[in-house]
Amino acid sequence: MSGFSELIKNFEKTRDYVRDFFIYGFKVRSDFDRKSARTYDDEKRRVESWLDGFLRYDDSVRGRQVSISVDSGHVPENPLYKAFYSKSFTDNDIRLHFLIQDVLYNGAALTLREIVDEIDCRCGMLFDEQTVRNKLKEYISEGIILSEKRGKAAYFSLSPDRADEFFNEFDGLADAVKFFSETGEFGVVGNSILKSAGAENDLFFMKHNYIVHTLEDAVLYDILEAIEQKRTLSLRTFSAKNRSKKESENLVVPMRISASVQTGRRYLVAYIPLYNRFNAFRLDYIRAVKSGGTFAGFDRIYEKYCHNEERCFGVSFGERRENGNVAPLVITVKIGGGEEYILNRIIREKRCGTLEKLSDDLYALTIDAFDPVEPMHWIKTFIGRIVGIEGGNAAARELFRDDIERMDAMYNDNKGEHNDDIQ
Amino acid sequence: MTIFSEIYGTYYRIAARAMVKSSVTENEVNELIRSLGFRDSALFLPRKLLPQKDGSDWGLLRANDGGTLSRITVNPPPAVLTLLQKRWLKAKLEDERFRLFFDDETLWRLTEMLADIKPLYRRVHFRYFDRFADGDNYSDPLYRENFSVVLSALKSHEMIKVAFTSGHGKRISFTCLPVKLEYSEKNDKLRVLIRKVRSGKLSGGGTLNLGRLEKVECTGFFFKDPVEIRDDRIKEPVTVRIEPERNAVERFLMEFASFEKRTERDLESGACTVSMYFDRSDETEVLIRILSFGAAVEILSPPDFRRQAAERVAKQRELTGSPKG
């Protein structure tokens, strides 16, 4: 046990392991070849400790698989938040955390010297001024401590805003935080408020809930700050297919976070000055970001991006520059009488498209997107109703035909049993 | 400013809880560690939180003569809201769903309270490109009123009487107990998970779209204890085989990450087998999502689920004919 701690200094390394345990679940010890076996054992043990009750072990011919198995739609709290609550600290960090807040508890405004003396007087612990000054500085930036100058002296006081008092003062806030702690951006921050106030979500479940997104919150914060400040970012990304491959570095101008609520993939869409083009980077493949200087042409590029975005079915800007204009994709779908729910489905789910009634039971959906391959995944949810696909990209049409042929062969043993009630 | 900071950490939180009362027992501290800590925290935390003879502990609790422990601070630890937490709250003020929870006066006071705080992010920074277009209308007065009644009933375990018009145009009304509110990012809708009540007793479960409710009334009848949702999970998992083509393994596992599942990879072929559970009411949705992976994913079982896929594929083949022919 010597040397092992369930707390960590660096979130980045752990993020990788938690993601692999959660998403893949089939990996065994030897698959984690990025670091030593000892590192794997330590990381696995930490994850076991944090996520006790959600770990699953399966013995395969290749060895023991460890996976995080969660029915995300039926948990009151995202269990992966626990990874954020595991930051290591020093003995003095935790002592000063409680002692400084204690001496400033009743609204007192004290100087550094007075704080040091009061801690010594109350608790018999003498800290050097520099140590306390550093902690005060850190807590000022965290918003826990307020400082003001009176003459030449700096006075420190405790922020009067308390989680439990906010919940009492603003009726409905506790419930709102319960809701947003489990959905939307940075839910873990809401969860930390609940924990601070001694509350927990007992009201809401979240369907279609990609709890793994929380692991990206650390890099996401820096990206959003850069967008807000119109700065460049240096992105360090890795290849999902080959983790041992050298990581890539890109200097980009971040535009927006583009997310799929159906596939769970989230991207940073950014402008790459070197290639004078927009590109999408998977958030979960971004290892680290570093903020750069202000980008002078931000507003002009952003305006262009917003204009182009209207023709992105997802996040792809296609290859029009290389291939010239691409014809719109036209999908003809058969919808029988009494099947208005299919029509409604198309209306609520279509993007970049216009729907036209061709006859009593035929409808044509025209999708004019930059990348005609991107809608194909969604179009295949209508398998059993697609009368024709025209335009777009020949390779995508061929792939669709090939898919249907292979699926037909795959499910051949069930032929001849179909009925007409397809939803 | 980051959420990955010890000030939000589990150890700090346990220490704070141990210092709420002016006096605690060692057993109470150990129980806090057991209930709030990680699985292995009991191996590490007691020797730092509880007084040690060699002084190697944090010194936050002091041993009394009577065998109890006292905090060394005069006051209980305050739950100070950090700037990050206030910036998060400020960002949520921009979200119309957030406003569902407040009356106008309270919302105004909260807005005033956070007036000088910069939001953590702005909505415009995010684009959810495949969210359904027919999401709930959160600013509709009837919707807001119904939400408020349902939420209140949910918290107090009160039965409600609901009325709505079914998809077939039939007016329906019954009494039920709201058990949870369920939100879907994909549908952008709130649903009420209910248990039906007949003659004062719980019967089946169900789901009501909040946006379709025309009337929600309190009944004045309460259940004493919280009631669990009815288990709607399929009994036998759906098992699929994913071929290692077009990055399908990664795409599939990511897309279906919200389900409880078991995966196994065949080292020779690189194919992956996934068995997963979901609610029975989601069967059609899951089926079409699997089909959208084309030939890269094959449904292996259960037979009835596989048959439904086969029917759709056969119908598709009828519509488009022999592709190579």
Side-chain angles (χ1 to χ4, degrees):
Chain A
M1 198 173 76
S2 144
F4 175 81
S5 165
E6 58 179 357
L7 304 187
I8 53 170
K9 265 188 185 169
N10 180 354
F11 187 74
E12 198 40 56
K13 191 169 63 174
T14 296
R15 173 190 166 199
D16 250 14
Y17 280 90
V18 174
R19 186 179 185 280
D20 281 358
F21 287 146
F22 181 71
I23 295 292
Y24 294 103
F26 55 63
K27 292 191 177 183
V28 298
R29 196 176 197 242
S30 57
D31 290 326
F32 291 85
D33 51 5
R34 301 188 287 279
K35 294 280 179 182
S36 68
R38 165 82 184 273
T39 303
Y40 168 80
D41 290 341
D42 283 353
E43 294 293 341
K44 178 171 87 64
R45 183 172 165 195
R46 277 189 201 99
V47 173
E48 286 172 330
S49 181
W50 300 338
L51 301 174
D52 187 32
F54 294 101
L55 268 288
R56 184 189 169 108
Y57 302 91
D58 292 294
D59 290 318
S60 72
V61 286
R62 303 172 53 235
R64 173 161 271 212
Q65 300 177 175
V66 181
S67 59
I68 300 168
S69 186
V70 183
D71 177 1
S72 307
H74 296 107
V75 286
E77 176 182 305
N78 181 345
L80 304 187
Y81 289 162
K82 289 183 181 173
F84 282 97
Y85 300 142
S86 60
K87 175 82 160 58
S88 61
F89 52 86
T90 67
D91 288 357
N92 275 349
D93 281 333
I94 193 166
R95 286 173 185 141
L96 284 173
H97 175 79
F98 289 106
L99 300 180
I100 290 174
Q101 292 189 84
D102 188 52
V103 299
L104 299 174
Y105 187 88
N106 290 319
L110 303 177
T111 63
L112 172 64
R113 183 73 251 163
E114 287 170 338
I115 291 171
V116 172
D117 288 348
E118 187 62 27
I119 289 174
D120 184 25
C121 176
R122 285 190 188 190
C123 314
M125 289 191 198
L126 184 60
F127 291 90
D128 70 78
E129 284 195 12
Q130 189 55 42
T131 304
V132 180
R133 180 184 285 118
N134 289 343
K135 186 54 74 182
L136 286 168
K137 198 175 160 194
E138 182 191 329
Y139 277 20
I140 288 168
S141 70
E142 296 288 355
I144 297 171
I145 299 288
L146 308 174
S147 76
E148 61 169 328
K149 278 269 186 188
R150 292 183 193 169
K152 285 186 177 177
Y155 279 78
F156 303 94
S157 59
L158 197 60
S159 166
D161 300 329
R162 313 284 159 87
D164 44 350
E165 290 172 9
F166 262 50
F167 281 3
N168 290 332
E169 194 177 337
F170 301 103
D171 192 28
L173 184 60
D175 296 341
V177 175
K178 286 176 185 180
F179 179 78
F180 284 99
S181 67
E182 296 303 319
T183 191
E185 302 77 16
F186 298 105
V188 63
V189 180
N191 181 263
S192 75
I193 299 175
L194 289 181
K195 290 203 180 302
S196 186
E200 58 186 17
N201 169 38
D202 52 355
L203 303 173
F204 303 101
F205 278 158
M206 300 299 164
K207 198 171 179 174
H208 306 119
N209 186 13
Y210 290 100
I211 62 173
V212 74
H213 286 167
T214 193
L215 299 178
E216 295 143 22
D217 281 349
V219 292
L220 185 58
Y221 173 77
D222 292 331
I223 292 170
L224 294 172
E225 287 285 294
I227 297 175
E228 188 66 22
Q229 294 166 14
K230 304 178 182 180
R231 291 181 181 278
T232 60
L233 270 180
S234 175
L235 295 185
R236 192 149 55 83
T237 55
F238 60 88
S239 160
K241 287 177 193 161
N242 185 1
R243 297 279 180 95
S244 53
K245 201 174 149 186
K246 194 171 176 287
E247 293 177 352
S248 308
E249 289 252 7
N250 279 287
L251 184 76
V252 305
V253 184
M255 297 280 110
R256 190 171 280 174
I257 302 300
S258 218
S260 165
V261 292
Q262 297 189 37
T263 67
R265 278 172 272 169
R266 298 201 299 176
Y267 301 83
L268 162 64
V269 185
Y271 171 71
I272 308 178
L274 184 65
Y275 304 117
N276 187 30
R277 64 171 298 157
F278 297 110
N279 200 9
F281 298 87
R282 279 274 293 267
L283 276 188
D284 45 352
Y285 298 161
I286 297 176
R287 175 87 62 210
V289 299
K290 195 175 168 190
S291 188
T294 307
F295 186 72
F298 186 94
D299 290 340
R300 179 178 52 82
I301 294 293
Y302 186 71
E303 193 181 334
K304 192 174 173 189
Y305 164 73
C306 290
H307 177 73
N308 286 356
E309 189 189 69
E310 289 170 16
R311 289 179 69 184
C312 287
F313 190 82
V315 293
S316 173
F317 292 86
E319 294 177 343
R320 286 185 179 218
R321 178 178 296 194
E322 289 78 11
N323 300 335
N325 214 20
V326 179
L329 191 64
V330 183
I331 309 105
T332 307
V333 181
K334 187 175 180 185
I335 301 173
E339 294 183 328
E340 288 75 19
Y341 55 93
I342 297 296
L343 200 56
N344 292 337
R345 209 190 122 206
I346 294 174
I347 291 167
R348 70 170 176 255
E349 295 181 25
K350 73 179 169 62
R351 289 161 265 160
C352 315
T354 49
L355 188 64
E356 187 188 356
K357 184 170 183 174
L358 302 177
S359 67
D360 280 352
D361 63 351
L362 285 183
Y363 291 80
L365 175 65
T366 304
I367 299 175
D368 189 12
F370 279 143
D371 185 346
V373 177
E374 222 174 11
M376 294 307 293
H377 185 64
W378 174 69
I379 288 167
K380 279 186 272 185
T381 63
F382 293 97
I383 279 177
R385 300 184 166 278
I386 301 165
V387 176
I389 298 179
E390 293 165 51
N393 173 313
R397 294 196 305 272
E398 179 57 30
L399 191 60
F400 176 77
R401 280 194 292 270
D402 183 58
D403 254 338
I404 299 302
E405 187 180 17
R406 286 174 58 200
M407 289 169 87
D408 193 43
M410 188 189 281
Y411 292 112
N412 201 30
D413 55 336
N414 294 91
K415 255 187 172 173
E417 294 177 30
H418 55 86
N419 62 47
D420 293 328
D421 298 329
I422 293 176
Q423 291 185 25
Chain B
M1 192 180 347
T2 168
I3 189 66
F4 183 58
S5 163
E6 67 274 12
I7 59 176
Y8 306 105
T10 296
Y11 280 24
Y12 273 42
R13 196 161 51 242
I14 292 170
R17 285 288 291 273
M19 296 165 74
V20 167
K21 291 195 291 182
S22 52
S23 172
V24 287
T25 65
E26 196 171 312
N27 279 346
E28 285 173 327
V29 173
N30 283 324
E31 178 54 26
L32 279 175
I33 294 170
R34 193 198 62 74
S35 61
L36 301 177
F38 305 126
R39 187 196 66 183
D40 293 348
S41 296
L43 299 174
F44 305 100
L45 199 44
R47 62 175 187 241
K48 301 302 284 184
L49 194 50
L50 296 171
Q52 304 292 307
K53 282 183 182 156
D54 62 359
S56 60
D57 59 290
W58 292 324
L60 297 174
L61 295 172
R62 192 176 283 149
N64 299 322
D65 290 340
T68 59
L69 305 165
S70 297
R71 64 177 183 233
I72 60 160
T73 56
V74 175
N75 308 289
V80 177
L81 276 173
T82 66
L83 185 57
L84 179 73
Q85 291 170 330
K86 285 189 277 191
R87 288 186 64 189
W88 181 84
L89 287 173
K90 180 66 177 271
K92 298 301 172 191
L93 275 174
E94 206 194 338
D95 192 315
E96 56 181 359
R97 294 169 299 178
F98 192 74
R99 297 176 198 156
L100 283 172
F101 293 88
F102 303 94
D103 59 45
D104 291 346
E105 192 266 340
T106 308
L107 190 66
W108 180 82
R109 282 193 296 113
L110 183 59
T111 307
E112 285 293 298
M113 175 61 91
L114 299 170
D116 297 331
I117 302 293
K118 189 179 135 200
L120 187 60
Y121 62 89
R122 290 187 291 130
R123 296 277 283 174
V124 71
H125 293 154
F126 290 86
R127 174 184 178 234
Y128 296 97
F129 55 80
D130 55 0
R131 180 176 276 166
F132 291 178
D134 63 345
D136 283 353
N137 180 0
Y138 302 106
S139 56
D140 173 53
L142 176 65
Y143 185 93
R144 289 176 59 85
E145 173 64 23
N146 288 344
F147 174 80
S148 179
V149 175
V150 169
L151 182 61
S152 170
L154 170 59
K155 289 162 70 177
S156 60
H157 320 304
E158 182 178 5
M159 286 187 278
I160 51 173
K161 191 175 176 191
V162 295
F164 60 95
T165 305
S166 76
H168 302 290
K170 195 177 164 192
R171 174 95 173 157
I172 294 171
S173 176
F174 57 82
T175 300
C176 62
L177 179 73
V179 183
K180 281 278 188 289
L181 273 162
E182 180 190 74
Y183 176 72
S184 160
E185 284 275 10
K186 174 177 161 179
N187 304 108
D188 192 21
K189 284 184 189 299
L190 272 161
R191 299 185 180 97
V192 194
L193 307 185
I194 57 155
R195 294 292 301 272
K196 288 181 183 161
V197 183
R198 287 208 179 93
S199 308
K201 288 186 177 171
L202 293 169
S203 59
T207 306
L208 302 172
N209 278 345
L210 193 64
R212 290 183 68 169
L213 297 183
E214 290 154 9
K215 200 170 186 184
V216 183
E217 293 174 289
C218 297
T219 60
F221 294 101
F222 297 84
F223 273 77
K224 194 176 164 193
D225 299 311
V227 172
E228 294 298 313
I229 61 163
R230 191 165 159 137
D231 185 10
D232 183 37
R233 211 164 82 140
I234 54 172
K235 299 294 173 226
E236 186 186 345
V238 162
T239 303
V240 300
R241 178 185 162 92
I242 314 165
E243 296 299 330
E245 58 179 271
R246 290 179 261 166
N247 200 24
V249 172
E250 199 272 347
R251 288 192 300 125
F252 186 93
L253 292 175
M254 187 69 209
E255 183 162 336
F256 289 91
S258 60
F259 295 149
E260 189 179 339
K261 62 187 185 306
R262 181 182 180 276
T263 59
E264 197 171 350
R265 187 167 58 176
D266 178 353
L267 204 55
E268 267 184 37
S269 67
C272 180
T273 307
V274 180
S275 298
M276 56 190 188
Y277 291 92
F278 46 84
D279 284 349
R280 205 181 307 277
S281 54
D282 294 331
E283 196 175 74
T284 303
E285 179 190 330
V286 173
L287 176 66
I288 63 175
R289 284 171 70 189
I290 292 174
L291 287 175
S292 73
F293 283 83
V297 178
E298 178 181 4
I299 296 167
L300 302 177
S301 67
D304 182 60
F305 199 68
R306 179 180 163 86
R307 183 185 54 75
Q308 291 182 56
E311 284 173 6
R312 287 175 188 249
V313 172
K315 277 198 80 79
Q316 185 56 52
R317 193 61 189 265
E318 277 178 18
L319 288 170
T320 43
S322 173
K324 301 286 185 191

